[in-house]
Amino acid sequence: MKNGKYGVFSMKSIKSRLIAMYLGLVMIVMIVCGSFILISLQDIEIRRAEEQMRLYAEKIRDQVALTYEESGFQEGLLQFSQNSSNTSTIQGNIINTDGQTIASTVNGRGSFEQYKNSAVISALGGTPYFSEKSRDPESGTIYIEYAEPVLVSGTVKYVIFARMDASNIYSGIDQTRRTLVLSVAIAFLLTSVMGYIFANTITGPILTLSAKAKELAQGKLDQTVKVYSKDEIGQLSESFNYMAMELSRTLGEMSKEKNKLEIILHNMTDGVLSFDKSGQIVHCNSAVLELLGIDEFKDDFNGFINRYGITSGVYIDMMNTDFTKKINFWAGKKYINASFSPYLSEKNIFAGVVVVLQDNTEMKRLDDMRKEFVANVSHELRTPLTTVKSYAETLLDGAIDDKETAMEFLGIINNEADRMSFLVRDLLQLSRFDNNQIELTYSRINVDSFIAENVKASRILAENKKQELIFKPFNRDVFIMADRGRITQVINNIVTNAIKYSPEGSTIKVWPEEDSKYVRICVEDNGIGISKDDLPRIFERFYRVDKARSRAMGGTGLGLAIAKEIMDRHGGKITVESEMLQGTKMTMWFPKNMKQEN
Ligand code: ADP
C-alpha cells in the first residue's frame, strides 16, 4: 500500500483493482497461450521423433530382419546404421522372442544390452509400442522408444527396438519453457507499468472529481474540473461542472434572499425571536438584545419565559391553538409586549413559536400617567370638598349661631371653594390645550415693559415675605411675538413660585437675555431649590416636591404644567436649573423667528 495523491492506495481502490485485473488478464492469456505453445511444441517434437523412429524401425525390419539370416543381423544392422543418416541419434536393436538382443547398433558383438521394458513386451505381444519418455534406470538418460514386431508367417519372430536420446528434445522444450517464463515475467513488469498508467488515466480524473466534490461540500463553490475527453469520464466532468455552477447560482440566490431577510430582521425596531418545536432558539435579531438589555440570547423557550416571569403554559397553548397570545413583562426598565404566535411546517404541523417583542414603556408610562392623573384630580377635589362638608356640617349643627365662628368657617369654606374653582379652571385650561382648543392671540410685546408690569404686580407678594425683587431690564427696545395673556400667566407663575419657595429676606432676580436665536426671560431665586430626582418631573401635572407645603401655599401643582404647554405652543420652551438649598433659575425661551401674524 502507498499513499496516492488524493487518498490511500489500497486494494479497495478502483486503481488497484484495475491494475490487478489488467495484470490478471495478461497473465492468464500469457500462461494459457504459453502452455498451449509449449504443449504443442512438445507434441510436434514427439510426433516427429515417433515418425522418425517408426520409419527407422520399418527400415531395419525391411532392410535387415526380413533380408538377412538371423546370424547376419548384426552385420546387416551395422551396415544399415552406417548408411542411415540417423546413426548418431537413434540406436536400433533386434530382439528375439526370448527377449534376447541379438543385434544392435550399439556396443560390440556378444555384449548386447538386454531390454525388458513395456515397449518390448508389447511388441512381443504383436502390438507396436511407442513410449515418449522412458528413463534409463542406470544412466538416468531420458529416451524415446519404439518397438515394432516383425511377423513371419503371421507370428512374431523378432522385435525391432529403437530408442533415441530425448535429452535434446526435452532440454529444448525446457529452454522454451524458461524463455516463456521470462517473457511472462517481463510482460508482468511491463503490464504493471502499463496498467498503472492506464488505471491512472481512468482514476486520475475520478480522484480529481472526488477531491473537487469534497471542496464543493465544504462550501468552496467555485469548483470546475478540466474536461479532457468526450468519454464517460468527460461527460461526468461536464455534469460536475454544470452541477457546481447550478449549485453556486442557487445558493447565491438563496443567500441573497436570506441576506435580504436578515437585513430586514436586523433593522426592525421590533425584536423577533423564533424557537423550534423542541424549544431551541432558531433566530434572534439585534433588536431583541437591545430591548432585553443583553449581549447574547442564550435561553431556550422555557428559559426565556421563566427568566421574565411569563406565565408557563404558553408553549402548550401555542401547540394547540393558532392564536397569537400577547403578554407584557418588565425587562429591566423596559416594559415589553411579547406576541407569541405558533408557526406551522409545510405539512401543517406545529413547528415552533415566533415571538415579536415591542417596547411598550412609553405607552405604559402614559397609561400610568393617565391613571395617576385621574387619581390626583379625584384626590385634589376631595380634600377641599371634605373640608367644605365638615365646616358646613358644623355650622348646621349650631355653630352658625356664633357669628364670629360662623364667619371664620364661612371664610374657610369660601377659600376651599376658591381652591376648587382654581383647580377646575387649571384643569379646564390643560384639557383645552390637550384638545387643541386654545387659539393664541399674538401681539408684538416689548420685553422690558412686559417684565416690568409683571414684577410690579408681584412686588406686593415679595414685600410680604421681605424679599427683594430685582429687575434688570435690557434698557432698549426688544420685542417678542406672543399671546400677552398666556405669557403673563407663565411669568406670573414662575415669579410667584420663586417667592413661594424662597425664605424670607431672600433675593429674586428677573432679567431678559438675547442671542441670535432666542429672547429669554430669566427668573432666579436663592430659595430651597429642587433635588436632581425631582427636577425632570416638576413640569408633570400635579407633581409637587412637597405636596403639603405646596397645598398650604395654595398651589394646585398644575402651574408649571400649564406654563410648559403655553411655551410649547409659542414654539419656545421653559427650562429649569436648580441646586438643592442654593436656588432655582427658570428660563422662558422665545424663538426670534416666531410666527408674526395675528
Ligand atoms: P405649585 O402650584 O405646587 O406651585 P407648580 O406646577 O407651579 O405647582 O410647581 C410644581 C412644583 O415645583 C412645586 O410644587 C415646587 O415643589 C416646585 N417648584 C417650582 N418652582 C420652584 C422654585 N422656584 N423653587 C423650588 N421649587 C419650585
Side-chain angles (χ1 to χ4, degrees):
M1 284 205 215
K2 67 170 189 180
N3 281 326
K5 189 177 172 191
Y6 297 111
V8 175
F9 180 89
S10 71
M11 275 315 282
K12 279 184 183 166
S13 76
I14 292 185
K15 190 172 178 171
S16 52
R17 274 186 282 172
L18 269 176
I19 296 174
M21 234 162 72
Y22 195 59
L23 275 179
L25 269 175
V26 170
M27 293 301 291
I28 289 167
V29 169
M30 292 249 355
I31 289 168
V32 169
C33 289
S35 308
F36 187 74
I37 290 168
L38 211 65
I39 290 165
S40 300
L41 255 177
Q42 188 172 343
D43 200 47
I44 289 166
E45 285 293 318
I46 301 290
R47 288 306 132 226
R48 189 188 293 143
E50 185 185 358
E51 190 58 24
Q52 247 183 331
M53 306 270 276
R54 204 175 49 75
L55 280 172
Y56 187 76
E58 272 173 11
K59 275 184 190 161
I60 293 178
R61 185 191 64 195
D62 295 343
Q63 292 173 22
V64 181
L66 297 180
T67 313
Y68 292 85
E69 287 295 315
E70 196 178 304
S71 56
F73 278 1
Q74 178 61 30
E75 208 64 41
L77 200 58
L78 287 175
Q79 189 77 39
F80 166 80
S81 173
Q82 276 159 17
N83 295 340
S84 166
S85 54
N86 289 321
T87 37
S88 57
T89 48
I90 308 176
Q91 39 174 289
N93 303 284
I94 302 172
I95 296 168
N96 65 13
T97 46
D98 298 331
Q100 305 284 312
T101 306
I102 50 173
S104 174
T105 55
V106 211
N107 297 333
R109 196 181 291 268
S111 59
F112 302 126
E113 203 175 326
Q114 301 301 319
Y115 302 103
K116 275 204 179 105
N117 51 32
S118 45
V120 174
I121 294 162
S122 167
L124 283 173
T127 317
Y129 188 92
F130 177 74
S131 154
E132 321 181 332
K133 205 174 189 179
S134 156
R135 186 180 293 274
D136 189 303
E138 283 165 28
S139 64
T141 318
I142 291 167
Y143 291 101
I144 293 174
E145 298 170 340
Y146 181 73
E148 188 176 288
V150 178
L151 299 178
V152 177
S153 354
T155 51
V156 178
K157 198 76 191 284
Y158 308 104
V159 165
I160 313 289
F161 175 66
R163 72 176 191 175
M164 185 164 89
D165 188 343
S167 308
N168 282 344
I169 295 176
Y170 283 108
S171 70
I173 288 167
D174 272 352
Q175 182 63 40
T176 315
R177 184 180 291 124
R178 273 197 296 277
T179 313
L180 265 171
V181 168
L182 190 68
S183 55
V184 166
I186 292 169
F188 186 83
L189 268 175
L190 286 177
T191 314
S192 301
V193 175
M194 293 281 292
Y196 184 78
I197 295 167
F198 166 71
N200 258 353
T201 61
I202 293 176
T203 56
I206 294 177
L207 287 174
T208 313
L209 268 175
S210 122
K212 295 266 179 185
K214 240 184 230 166
E215 286 190 25
L216 195 73
Q218 282 161 4
K220 296 176 192 159
L221 296 179
D222 53 341
Q223 301 295 330
T224 45
V225 287
K226 274 192 184 150
V227 182
Y228 292 105
S229 57
K230 286 220 172 287
D231 59 9
E232 289 86 340
I233 288 175
Q235 286 168 17
L236 185 64
S237 305
E238 265 172 16
S239 304
F240 176 85
N241 287 343
Y242 179 68
M243 182 188 79
M245 196 181 76
E246 280 295 297
L247 204 65
S248 160
R249 193 179 59 79
T250 317
L251 281 179
E253 268 170 24
M254 274 168 71
S255 82
K256 224 194 255 170
E257 284 301 311
K258 195 171 162 258
N259 276 352
K260 245 193 254 171
L261 269 177
E262 290 277 336
I263 289 169
I264 293 170
L265 279 173
H266 182 77
N267 290 304
M268 271 175 79
T269 44
D270 290 354
V272 179
L273 283 168
S274 62
F275 298 91
D276 64 15
K277 67 173 174 216
S278 66
Q280 295 305 311
I281 181 83
V282 177
H283 186 89
C284 164
N285 70 354
S286 47
V288 169
L289 308 181
E290 206 175 299
L291 285 171
L292 301 180
I294 50 176
D295 296 330
E296 200 186 344
F297 191 91
K298 292 180 195 150
D299 291 326
D300 59 4
F301 189 83
N302 282 327
F304 170 62
I305 59 168
N306 289 334
R307 184 184 299 273
Y308 295 102
I310 301 165
T311 34
S312 51
V314 178
Y315 195 67
I316 294 160
D317 282 359
M318 291 295 105
M319 282 178 80
N320 297 324
T321 58
D322 52 2
F323 300 121
T324 297
K325 194 173 175 126
K326 286 184 186 279
I327 290 164
N328 293 313
F329 64 89
W330 283 100
K333 283 188 176 168
K334 288 208 169 106
Y335 191 69
I336 309 282
N337 174 267
S339 304
F340 293 77
S341 315
Y343 65 88
L344 305 179
S345 70
E346 285 158 8
K347 290 176 191 156
N348 255 3
I349 301 167
F350 172 78
V353 180
V354 176
V355 187
V356 178
L357 305 180
Q358 282 171 321
D359 187 353
N360 258 6
T361 318
E362 186 58 19
M363 261 169 68
K364 167 82 176 156
R365 196 181 65 83
L366 290 175
D367 193 46
D368 287 352
M369 263 173 66
R370 187 185 55 79
K371 285 181 192 155
E372 198 184 315
F373 182 72
V374 172
N376 278 332
V377 171
S378 321
H379 182 75
E380 292 297 329
L381 285 173
R382 205 184 58 201
T383 316
L385 267 177
T386 315
T387 315
V388 168
K389 176 114 176 95
S390 59
Y391 281 102
E393 274 172 1
T394 319
L395 284 172
L396 285 173
D397 283 349
I400 194 143
D401 297 331
D402 178 352
K403 192 172 178 206
E404 204 177 320
T405 315
M407 284 306 282
E408 188 194 337
F409 282 12
L410 284 170
I412 293 171
I413 290 174
N414 191 37
N415 276 345
E416 292 301 312
D418 279 349
R419 181 201 289 277
M420 277 194 286
S421 103
F422 292 149
L423 187 68
V424 171
R425 181 201 64 199
D426 285 355
L427 279 173
L428 261 174
Q429 199 175 359
L430 273 173
S431 141
R432 286 205 191 106
F433 274 120
D434 290 344
N435 296 323
N436 266 331
Q437 285 172 346
I438 291 211
E439 282 281 327
L440 296 183
T441 316
Y442 283 95
S443 61
R444 200 157 170 266
I445 298 166
N446 183 308
V447 178
D448 270 0
S449 41
F450 169 73
I451 301 174
E453 274 167 36
N454 281 285
V455 166
K456 197 175 162 193
S458 299
R459 196 167 295 280
I460 183 94
L461 271 177
E463 275 167 6
N464 283 346
K465 282 187 85 176
K466 299 187 180 63
Q467 290 165 336
E468 200 181 351
L469 190 55
I470 304 170
F471 167 46
K472 277 191 196 160
F474 274 133
N475 286 327
R476 56 193 153 90
D477 287 338
V478 176
F479 294 94
I480 51 170
M481 291 300 295
D483 183 320
R484 183 179 283 272
R486 303 281 173 204
I487 63 163
T488 301
Q489 198 181 339
V490 176
I491 193 166
N492 186 38
N493 185 267
I494 294 176
V495 175
T496 314
N497 275 350
I499 295 168
K500 275 200 291 190
Y501 301 108
S502 300
E504 288 197 353
S506 58
T507 310
I508 293 146
K509 290 181 207 153
V510 185
W511 73 97
E513 284 176 358
E514 181 187 31
D515 64 21
S516 58
K517 286 185 181 165
Y518 291 98
V519 173
R520 293 183 290 272
I521 298 173
C522 309
V523 180
E524 190 178 53
D525 63 60
N526 47 10
I528 58 170
I530 305 162
S531 77
K532 285 222 155 29
D533 292 341
D534 294 313
L535 213 51
R537 301 198 60 188
I538 58 165
F539 296 104
E540 284 176 19
R541 296 170 189 192
F542 292 116
Y543 192 80
R544 286 174 288 199
V545 176
D546 184 341
K547 274 196 171 48
R549 185 181 190 147
S550 157
R551 208 173 282 131
M553 293 179 189
T556 58
L558 293 173
L560 284 180
I562 294 172
K564 183 179 179 309
E565 288 290 343
I566 293 172
M567 291 312 294
D568 284 351
R569 289 299 150 116
H570 278 84
K573 59 185 172 182
I574 178 168
T575 57
V576 56
E577 294 158 54
S578 187
E579 203 53 58
M580 272 301 268
L581 304 173
Q582 298 289 312
T584 305
K585 180 184 168 193
M586 291 270 182
T587 312
M588 294 162 72
W589 300 64
F590 296 91
K592 280 190 165 171
N593 59 353
M594 205 193 281
K595 241 168 77 176
Q596 295 292 313
E597 60 267 21
N598 294 323

